[in-house]
Amino acid sequence: MRYILLSIVLFLGLSLTYGIVVNSIVATVGQYAITKQDVERMRDFIKESNPQSKTNDLNSALKELLLSYSIITYVENNSNKIIYRQREMDNYLNTLTNNPNDSSSKSRLKLYNDYPEEFLLQIKKMQMIRSILFYDEFLKEKVESQVDTNEMLEYYKKNKQYFLEPPKVDIIFISTPQPNNFTLDQMEELEKNLTSIANYLKKSDDVTNVMNKYQKIIPFSPLSGRTGLRQAYELYNEGYPEEILMLSLSTEPLPAGKDRTIRIKNGVVVGPELIKFRSNGQMNYVIFKLISRQLKQQMPFEKSIPFIENLLKEKRTSEVIQQALVEKINRGEITINIVDKSYIGAYDEFLRR
Protein backbone atom coordinates (compact mmCIF):
# COMPACT_ATOMS: atom_id res chain seq x y z
CA MET A 1 0.00 0.00 0.00
CA ARG A 2 2.88 2.33 0.82
CA TYR A 3 4.28 1.90 -2.69
CA ILE A 4 0.87 2.57 -4.25
CA LEU A 5 0.55 5.81 -2.28
CA LEU A 6 4.08 6.76 -3.26
CA SER A 7 3.19 6.17 -6.94
CA ILE A 8 0.13 8.38 -6.64
CA VAL A 9 2.19 11.16 -5.03
CA LEU A 10 4.81 10.91 -7.78
CA PHE A 11 2.13 10.98 -10.47
CA LEU A 12 0.54 14.09 -8.99
CA GLY A 13 3.94 15.72 -8.74
CA LEU A 14 4.71 14.94 -12.37
CA SER A 15 1.27 16.22 -13.39
CA LEU A 16 1.99 19.57 -11.77
CA THR A 17 5.52 19.70 -13.14
CA TYR A 18 4.62 18.92 -16.75
CA GLY A 19 1.26 20.63 -16.78
CA ILE A 20 -0.93 17.59 -17.56
CA VAL A 21 -4.42 18.89 -18.32
CA VAL A 22 -7.04 17.46 -15.96
CA ASN A 23 -10.58 17.02 -17.28
CA SER A 24 -12.04 19.09 -14.45
CA ILE A 25 -15.65 18.90 -13.26
CA VAL A 26 -17.73 21.93 -14.23
CA ALA A 27 -21.01 20.99 -12.57
CA THR A 28 -22.99 18.12 -11.08
CA VAL A 29 -26.66 17.26 -11.53
CA GLY A 30 -27.72 14.72 -8.95
CA GLN A 31 -25.32 11.82 -9.36
CA TYR A 32 -24.08 12.99 -12.78
CA ALA A 33 -20.86 14.96 -13.22
CA ILE A 34 -20.41 17.31 -16.17
CA THR A 35 -16.76 17.84 -17.13
CA LYS A 36 -15.03 20.53 -19.13
CA GLN A 37 -14.60 18.05 -21.99
CA ASP A 38 -18.34 17.25 -21.88
CA VAL A 39 -19.15 20.94 -22.34
CA GLU A 40 -16.67 21.37 -25.20
CA ARG A 41 -17.91 18.28 -27.03
CA MET A 42 -21.54 19.31 -26.61
CA ARG A 43 -20.67 22.72 -28.08
CA ASP A 44 -19.06 21.03 -31.09
CA PHE A 45 -22.00 18.63 -31.40
CA ILE A 46 -24.47 21.53 -31.49
CA LYS A 47 -22.36 23.30 -34.15
CA GLU A 48 -22.27 20.23 -36.38
CA SER A 49 -25.90 19.19 -35.88
CA ASN A 50 -27.26 22.70 -36.42
CA PRO A 51 -24.71 25.02 -38.12
CA GLN A 52 -27.30 27.82 -38.28
CA SER A 53 -27.85 27.83 -34.52
CA LYS A 54 -26.78 30.98 -32.69
CA THR A 55 -26.57 29.07 -29.40
CA ASN A 56 -23.39 27.08 -29.99
CA ASP A 57 -21.03 28.52 -27.36
CA LEU A 58 -19.81 26.90 -24.13
CA ASN A 59 -22.50 28.51 -21.98
CA SER A 60 -25.25 27.22 -24.27
CA ALA A 61 -23.64 23.77 -24.27
CA LEU A 62 -23.64 23.69 -20.47
CA LYS A 63 -27.30 24.75 -20.35
CA GLU A 64 -28.16 21.92 -22.73
CA LEU A 65 -26.30 19.44 -20.51
CA LEU A 66 -27.99 20.79 -17.36
CA LEU A 67 -31.38 20.32 -19.02
CA SER A 68 -30.60 16.81 -20.25
CA TYR A 69 -29.29 15.53 -16.91
CA SER A 70 -32.08 17.26 -14.99
CA ILE A 71 -34.60 15.35 -17.14
CA ILE A 72 -32.76 12.06 -16.61
CA THR A 73 -32.49 12.66 -12.85
CA TYR A 74 -36.19 13.54 -12.58
CA VAL A 75 -37.26 10.42 -14.49
CA GLU A 76 -34.95 8.18 -12.44
CA ASN A 77 -36.20 9.70 -9.18
CA ASN A 78 -39.78 8.94 -10.25
CA SER A 79 -39.26 5.58 -11.92
CA ASN A 80 -42.24 4.17 -10.03
CA LYS A 81 -44.50 6.60 -11.95
CA ILE A 82 -42.66 7.54 -15.15
CA ILE A 83 -41.91 4.57 -17.37
CA TYR A 84 -38.80 4.67 -19.55
CA ARG A 85 -37.53 1.51 -21.18
CA GLN A 86 -33.98 1.11 -22.46
CA ARG A 87 -35.29 -0.92 -25.39
CA GLU A 88 -36.60 2.35 -26.88
CA MET A 89 -32.99 3.44 -27.33
CA ASP A 90 -31.98 0.00 -28.59
CA ASN A 91 -34.77 0.05 -31.18
CA TYR A 92 -33.79 3.54 -32.34
CA LEU A 93 -30.13 2.58 -32.77
CA ASN A 94 -31.06 -0.62 -34.56
CA THR A 95 -33.18 1.34 -37.06
CA LEU A 96 -30.46 3.97 -37.53
CA THR A 97 -27.53 1.61 -38.07
CA ASN A 98 -29.45 -0.84 -40.28
CA ASN A 99 -30.49 1.80 -42.81
CA PRO A 100 -27.14 3.42 -43.68
CA ASN A 101 -28.15 4.27 -47.25
CA ASP A 102 -31.38 6.01 -46.33
CA SER A 103 -30.84 9.73 -47.00
CA SER A 104 -32.61 10.82 -43.81
CA SER A 105 -30.39 8.50 -41.73
CA LYS A 106 -27.03 9.46 -43.25
CA SER A 107 -26.55 12.76 -41.45
CA ARG A 108 -27.78 11.32 -38.14
CA LEU A 109 -25.50 8.31 -38.52
CA LYS A 110 -22.53 10.63 -39.12
CA LEU A 111 -23.41 12.58 -35.96
CA TYR A 112 -23.68 9.32 -34.05
CA ASN A 113 -20.25 8.18 -35.29
CA ASP A 114 -18.60 11.56 -34.57
CA TYR A 115 -20.31 12.31 -31.24
CA PRO A 116 -21.79 9.04 -29.91
CA GLU A 117 -22.26 10.12 -26.27
CA GLU A 118 -23.75 13.51 -27.13
CA PHE A 119 -26.01 12.02 -29.80
CA LEU A 120 -27.35 9.31 -27.48
CA LEU A 121 -27.87 11.85 -24.70
CA GLN A 122 -30.10 13.92 -26.99
CA ILE A 123 -32.11 10.88 -28.06
CA LYS A 124 -32.50 9.76 -24.45
CA LYS A 125 -33.63 13.27 -23.47
CA MET A 126 -36.33 13.33 -26.17
CA GLN A 127 -37.53 9.84 -25.30
CA MET A 128 -37.72 10.73 -21.61
CA ILE A 129 -39.64 13.93 -22.39
CA ARG A 130 -42.25 11.77 -24.12
CA SER A 131 -42.39 9.59 -21.00
CA ILE A 132 -42.86 12.66 -18.77
CA LEU A 133 -45.66 14.01 -20.97
CA PHE A 134 -47.39 10.63 -20.97
CA TYR A 135 -47.33 10.70 -17.17
CA ASP A 136 -48.12 14.39 -16.60
CA GLU A 137 -51.40 15.39 -18.30
CA PHE A 138 -51.05 19.03 -17.20
CA LEU A 139 -47.69 19.46 -18.96
CA LYS A 140 -48.96 17.53 -21.98
CA GLU A 141 -51.92 19.88 -22.35
CA LYS A 142 -49.64 22.94 -22.23
CA VAL A 143 -47.34 21.45 -24.86
CA GLU A 144 -50.06 20.29 -27.26
CA SER A 145 -52.10 23.50 -27.35
CA GLN A 146 -52.45 24.88 -30.88
CA VAL A 147 -49.70 27.10 -32.27
CA ASP A 148 -51.03 30.51 -33.27
CA THR A 149 -50.83 31.32 -37.02
CA ASN A 150 -49.56 34.84 -36.30
CA GLU A 151 -46.74 33.38 -34.21
CA MET A 152 -45.78 31.09 -37.10
CA LEU A 153 -45.91 33.98 -39.59
CA GLU A 154 -43.68 36.12 -37.37
CA TYR A 155 -41.17 33.26 -37.09
CA TYR A 156 -41.24 32.80 -40.87
CA LYS A 157 -40.54 36.50 -41.52
CA LYS A 158 -37.60 36.52 -39.11
CA ASN A 159 -36.09 33.34 -40.55
CA LYS A 160 -37.04 33.46 -44.24
CA GLN A 161 -33.46 32.79 -45.31
CA TYR A 162 -33.70 29.29 -43.82
CA PHE A 163 -36.94 28.32 -45.55
CA LEU A 164 -35.80 27.32 -49.01
CA GLU A 165 -37.22 24.78 -51.42
CA PRO A 166 -35.06 21.66 -51.84
CA PRO A 167 -32.91 22.07 -54.98
CA LYS A 168 -34.39 20.76 -58.20
CA VAL A 169 -32.55 19.66 -61.33
CA ASP A 170 -33.46 18.57 -64.84
CA ILE A 171 -30.61 16.54 -66.29
CA ILE A 172 -29.77 14.12 -69.05
CA PHE A 173 -27.82 11.19 -67.66
CA ILE A 174 -26.43 8.43 -69.85
CA SER A 175 -24.41 5.61 -68.36
CA THR A 176 -23.05 2.27 -69.50
CA PRO A 177 -20.78 -0.16 -67.59
CA GLN A 178 -17.14 -0.41 -68.63
CA PRO A 179 -16.84 -3.74 -70.52
CA ASN A 180 -14.45 -6.31 -69.08
CA ASN A 181 -13.86 -8.43 -72.16
CA PHE A 182 -13.80 -5.98 -75.08
CA THR A 183 -10.95 -5.96 -77.54
CA LEU A 184 -9.09 -2.72 -78.12
CA ASP A 185 -11.02 -2.20 -81.36
CA GLN A 186 -14.32 -2.74 -79.58
CA MET A 187 -13.36 -0.26 -76.85
CA GLU A 188 -12.43 2.34 -79.46
CA GLU A 189 -15.75 1.78 -81.23
CA LEU A 190 -17.68 2.18 -77.95
CA GLU A 191 -15.89 5.42 -77.06
CA LYS A 192 -16.45 6.72 -80.59
CA ASN A 193 -20.19 6.07 -80.32
CA LEU A 194 -20.38 7.70 -76.88
CA THR A 195 -18.57 10.75 -78.22
CA SER A 196 -21.10 10.94 -81.04
CA ILE A 197 -23.92 10.87 -78.46
CA ALA A 198 -22.27 13.67 -76.46
CA ASN A 199 -21.83 15.79 -79.59
CA TYR A 200 -25.50 15.22 -80.50
CA LEU A 201 -26.61 16.34 -77.01
CA LYS A 202 -24.64 19.57 -77.39
CA LYS A 203 -27.15 20.51 -80.09
CA SER A 204 -30.32 18.76 -78.91
CA ASP A 205 -32.13 17.67 -75.74
CA ASP A 206 -33.88 14.77 -77.49
CA VAL A 207 -32.12 12.01 -75.55
CA THR A 208 -34.78 9.41 -76.43
CA ASN A 209 -34.02 9.71 -80.13
CA VAL A 210 -30.26 9.28 -79.73
CA MET A 211 -30.62 6.40 -77.26
CA ASN A 212 -32.97 4.58 -79.63
CA LYS A 213 -30.34 4.89 -82.33
CA TYR A 214 -27.62 3.21 -80.22
CA GLN A 215 -29.55 0.95 -77.84
CA LYS A 216 -28.81 -2.22 -79.83
CA ILE A 217 -25.05 -1.77 -79.56
CA ILE A 218 -24.70 0.05 -76.19
CA PRO A 219 -26.20 -1.45 -72.98
CA PHE A 220 -27.46 1.75 -71.35
CA SER A 221 -28.11 1.62 -67.60
CA PRO A 222 -31.81 1.65 -66.52
CA LEU A 223 -31.53 5.23 -65.20
CA SER A 224 -30.25 6.61 -68.50
CA GLY A 225 -32.43 9.31 -70.00
CA ARG A 226 -33.86 12.68 -68.95
CA THR A 227 -35.11 13.19 -65.40
CA GLY A 228 -37.37 16.22 -65.83
CA LEU A 229 -37.27 18.96 -63.18
CA ARG A 230 -37.25 17.06 -59.89
CA GLN A 231 -35.88 17.39 -56.37
CA ALA A 232 -32.28 16.20 -56.18
CA TYR A 233 -32.85 14.10 -53.06
CA GLU A 234 -35.69 12.22 -54.81
CA LEU A 235 -33.32 11.34 -57.64
CA TYR A 236 -30.70 10.23 -55.10
CA ASN A 237 -33.26 7.98 -53.40
CA GLU A 238 -34.07 6.43 -56.78
CA GLY A 239 -30.43 5.49 -57.29
CA TYR A 240 -28.92 8.32 -59.33
CA PRO A 241 -25.20 8.51 -58.45
CA GLU A 242 -24.31 11.18 -55.90
CA GLU A 243 -21.37 12.23 -58.10
CA ILE A 244 -23.76 13.19 -60.88
CA LEU A 245 -26.17 14.99 -58.57
CA MET A 246 -23.32 16.94 -56.95
CA LEU A 247 -22.16 17.90 -60.43
CA SER A 248 -25.65 19.10 -61.34
CA LEU A 249 -25.78 21.33 -58.24
CA SER A 250 -22.26 22.74 -58.55
CA THR A 251 -21.89 26.47 -59.25
CA GLU A 252 -18.11 26.71 -58.81
CA PRO A 253 -15.51 26.21 -61.58
CA LEU A 254 -14.42 22.57 -61.74
CA PRO A 255 -11.15 21.11 -63.06
CA ALA A 256 -11.48 19.77 -66.61
CA GLY A 257 -8.02 18.64 -67.59
CA LYS A 258 -4.67 20.38 -67.63
CA ASP A 259 -4.97 24.12 -66.96
CA ARG A 260 -8.70 24.02 -67.75
CA THR A 261 -11.86 24.48 -65.73
CA ILE A 262 -15.52 24.12 -66.52
CA ARG A 263 -18.53 25.80 -64.92
CA ILE A 264 -21.72 23.77 -64.90
CA LYS A 265 -24.59 25.79 -66.33
CA ASN A 266 -27.67 25.13 -68.43
CA GLY A 267 -26.80 23.39 -71.69
CA VAL A 268 -23.32 22.20 -70.63
CA VAL A 269 -22.47 18.63 -71.65
CA VAL A 270 -19.82 16.65 -69.78
CA GLY A 271 -18.40 13.36 -71.06
CA PRO A 272 -18.02 10.74 -72.07
CA GLU A 273 -16.00 10.22 -68.85
CA LEU A 274 -15.03 7.01 -67.12
CA ILE A 275 -16.23 7.31 -63.50
CA LYS A 276 -16.14 4.93 -60.55
CA PHE A 277 -19.39 5.27 -58.60
CA ARG A 278 -18.99 5.32 -54.84
CA SER A 279 -22.34 3.57 -54.33
CA ASN A 280 -21.29 0.30 -55.98
CA GLY A 281 -17.60 0.68 -56.87
CA GLN A 282 -18.27 0.01 -60.57
CA MET A 283 -16.62 1.82 -63.47
CA ASN A 284 -19.07 3.43 -65.90
CA TYR A 285 -18.88 5.59 -68.99
CA VAL A 286 -21.01 8.63 -68.26
CA ILE A 287 -22.46 11.51 -70.30
CA PHE A 288 -24.15 14.33 -68.42
CA LYS A 289 -26.09 17.40 -69.53
CA LEU A 290 -27.69 20.04 -67.33
CA ILE A 291 -31.01 21.17 -68.79
CA SER A 292 -32.07 23.44 -65.93
CA ARG A 293 -32.05 23.73 -62.15
CA GLN A 294 -33.63 25.67 -59.31
CA LEU A 295 -31.38 26.57 -56.39
CA LYS A 296 -32.26 28.51 -53.23
CA GLN A 297 -35.87 29.11 -54.21
CA GLN A 298 -37.87 30.75 -51.41
CA MET A 299 -40.39 28.39 -49.80
CA PRO A 300 -43.79 30.12 -49.47
CA PHE A 301 -45.21 30.55 -45.97
CA GLU A 302 -48.12 28.16 -46.58
CA LYS A 303 -45.70 25.38 -47.47
CA SER A 304 -43.49 26.22 -44.48
CA ILE A 305 -46.30 25.93 -41.91
CA PRO A 306 -45.75 22.21 -41.01
CA PHE A 307 -42.02 22.80 -40.43
CA ILE A 308 -42.55 25.98 -38.40
CA GLU A 309 -45.31 24.38 -36.33
CA ASN A 310 -43.02 21.47 -35.43
CA LEU A 311 -40.16 23.83 -34.59
CA LEU A 312 -42.33 26.00 -32.35
CA LYS A 313 -43.87 22.96 -30.66
CA GLU A 314 -40.39 21.58 -29.95
CA LYS A 315 -39.37 24.97 -28.55
CA ARG A 316 -42.51 25.13 -26.42
CA THR A 317 -41.97 21.56 -25.19
CA SER A 318 -38.41 22.41 -24.12
CA GLU A 319 -39.59 25.56 -22.34
CA VAL A 320 -42.48 23.82 -20.54
CA ILE A 321 -40.30 20.92 -19.42
CA GLN A 322 -37.49 23.22 -18.31
CA GLN A 323 -39.85 25.45 -16.34
CA ALA A 324 -41.24 22.39 -14.56
CA LEU A 325 -37.71 21.22 -13.78
CA VAL A 326 -36.62 24.65 -12.52
CA GLU A 327 -39.50 24.54 -10.04
CA LYS A 328 -38.27 21.16 -8.82
CA ILE A 329 -34.69 22.48 -8.59
CA ASN A 330 -35.90 25.44 -6.52
CA ARG A 331 -37.74 23.01 -4.20
CA GLY A 332 -34.58 20.92 -3.82
CA GLU A 333 -35.98 17.86 -5.60
CA ILE A 334 -33.12 18.04 -8.13
CA THR A 335 -29.70 19.14 -6.90
CA ILE A 336 -27.38 21.12 -9.17
CA ASN A 337 -23.94 22.24 -8.05
CA ILE A 338 -21.83 24.58 -10.21
CA VAL A 339 -18.21 23.69 -9.43
CA ASP A 340 -16.57 25.99 -11.99
CA LYS A 341 -17.77 29.44 -10.91
CA SER A 342 -17.09 30.92 -14.36
CA TYR A 343 -20.32 29.16 -15.41
CA ILE A 344 -22.51 30.75 -12.72
CA GLY A 345 -23.91 33.16 -15.34
CA ALA A 346 -24.91 30.25 -17.60
CA TYR A 347 -26.62 28.54 -14.65
CA ASP A 348 -28.55 31.72 -13.81
CA GLU A 349 -29.71 31.93 -17.44
CA PHE A 350 -30.76 28.28 -17.27
CA LEU A 351 -32.93 28.99 -14.23
CA ARG A 352 -34.49 32.04 -15.89
CA ARG A 353 -35.06 30.57 -19.39
Side-chain angles (χ1 to χ4, degrees):
M1 178 63 72
R2 183 179 62 189
Y3 295 109
I4 295 174
L5 291 174
L6 179 60
S7 299
I8 293 173
V9 170
L10 287 172
F11 172 76
L12 291 174
L14 287 170
S15 298
L16 292 172
T17 303
Y18 292 101
I20 294 177
V21 178
V22 179
N23 186 20
S24 57
I25 294 176
V26 170
T28 60
V29 181
Q31 64 175 329
Y32 296 99
I34 299 172
T35 67
K36 182 179 179 181
Q37 186 181 53
D38 292 334
V39 177
E40 291 172 349
R41 282 187 60 80
M42 179 56 72
R43 174 202 58 194
D44 296 341
F45 171 80
I46 293 171
K47 283 182 179 179
E48 184 164 333
S49 60
N50 187 7
Q52 298 166 347
S53 173
K54 298 175 183 177
T55 56
N56 55 18
D57 56 10
L58 291 175
N59 284 347
S60 299
L62 176 63
K63 288 186 283 186
E64 179 56 41
L65 288 166
L66 291 176
L67 176 61
S68 297
Y69 285 115
S70 293
I71 290 170
I72 293 171
T73 299
Y74 174 62
V75 171
E76 290 177 347
N77 289 347
N78 295 273
S79 58
N80 60 323
K81 302 174 185 176
I82 304 174
I83 300 172
Y84 172 76
R85 296 182 175 89
Q86 177 60 35
R87 69 168 177 265
E88 290 185 49
M89 178 70 77
D90 298 336
N91 291 339
Y92 179 88
L93 285 177
N94 183 56
T95 301
L96 180 67
T97 54
N98 287 332
N99 295 279
N101 295 321
D102 178 68
S103 59
S104 63
S105 298
K106 275 193 170 183
S107 59
R108 284 177 290 161
L109 189 58
K110 183 179 186 306
L111 273 176
Y112 172 60
N113 290 330
D114 292 346
Y115 300 94
E117 292 181 8
E118 292 73 21
F119 183 89
L120 294 179
L121 182 62
Q122 292 299 295
I123 299 303
K124 189 171 187 177
K125 179 189 78 171
M126 291 186 289
Q127 291 176 340
M128 284 191 165
I129 285 175
R130 287 200 296 270
S131 297
I132 292 172
L133 295 177
F134 182 81
Y135 157 74
D136 195 317
E137 289 291 336
F138 175 70
L139 294 181
K140 183 179 180 181
E141 187 176 333
K142 291 177 70 174
V143 164
E144 293 185 349
S145 58
Q146 190 171 0
V147 180
D148 183 67
T149 303
N150 290 330
E151 184 183 0
M152 289 191 284
L153 182 58
E154 183 181 357
Y155 186 91
Y156 174 78
K157 289 178 178 178
K158 288 182 178 178
N159 299 276
K160 279 183 87 169
Q161 70 272 28
Y162 302 126
F163 290 98
L164 303 175
E165 293 278 9
K168 295 180 179 180
V169 294
D170 181 3
I171 62 173
I172 289 174
F173 170 67
I174 291 180
S175 167
T176 185
Q178 181 187 32
N180 294 322
N181 53 0
F182 268 27
T183 65
L184 181 59
D185 288 343
Q186 288 174 315
M187 288 296 296
E188 288 179 351
E189 183 66 19
L190 173 62
E191 292 178 357
K192 178 183 175 182
N193 289 332
L194 290 171
T195 300
S196 296
I197 293 173
N199 290 333
Y200 174 87
L201 292 175
K202 290 176 182 178
K203 303 172 185 177
S204 171
D205 297 336
D206 190 354
V207 65
T208 303
N209 180 53
V210 75
M211 286 180 62
N212 286 340
K213 179 180 177 181
Y214 289 95
Q215 65 181 350
K216 291 183 179 180
I217 56 176
I218 298 178
F220 297 115
S221 71
L223 292 175
S224 294
R226 181 171 173 175
T227 63
L229 189 62
R230 299 177 59 198
Q231 292 181 357
Y233 78 84
E234 289 181 352
L235 297 175
Y236 175 77
N237 286 339
E238 289 182 11
Y240 283 84
E242 60 183 293
E243 295 88 348
I244 299 303
L245 296 175
M246 288 172 65
L247 185 65
S248 69
L249 296 172
S250 174
T251 58
E252 299 297 321
L254 301 172
K258 187 177 180 181
D259 301 326
R260 290 180 58 241
T261 60
I262 185 172
R263 188 183 293 272
I264 303 301
K265 55 186 179 181
N266 293 354
V268 166
V269 175
V270 177
E273 297 284 348
L274 196 55
I275 298 176
K276 184 178 182 179
F277 293 145
R278 253 180 293 189
S279 58
N280 56 21
Q282 295 179 355
M283 298 294 292
N284 288 265
Y285 282 101
V286 171
I287 299 171
F288 161 87
K289 181 176 183 178
L290 177 64
I291 304 298
S292 66
R293 60 186 172 189
Q294 292 179 358
L295 307 178
K296 298 183 178 180
Q297 295 282 312
Q298 185 68 53
M299 183 182 290
F301 171 66
E302 291 73 19
K303 200 171 180 179
S304 306
I305 286 177
F307 303 102
I308 298 173
E309 188 172 21
N310 285 335
L311 285 169
L312 293 180
K313 277 191 173 181
E314 285 180 12
K315 181 173 180 286
R316 180 194 292 170
T317 300
S318 180
E319 291 171 349
V320 167
I321 292 293
Q322 181 163 331
Q323 184 56 44
L325 292 172
V326 166
E327 291 173 6
K328 296 180 186 305
I329 292 167
N330 290 335
R331 291 198 299 263
E333 296 177 28
I334 299 173
T335 305
I336 294 181
N337 179 33
I338 303 300
V339 180
D340 186 338
K341 302 308 178 186
S342 66
Y343 285 99
I344 286 291
Y347 179 53
D348 289 341
E349 289 177 13
F350 171 77
L351 294 178
R352 292 195 304 268
R353 190 169 71 174

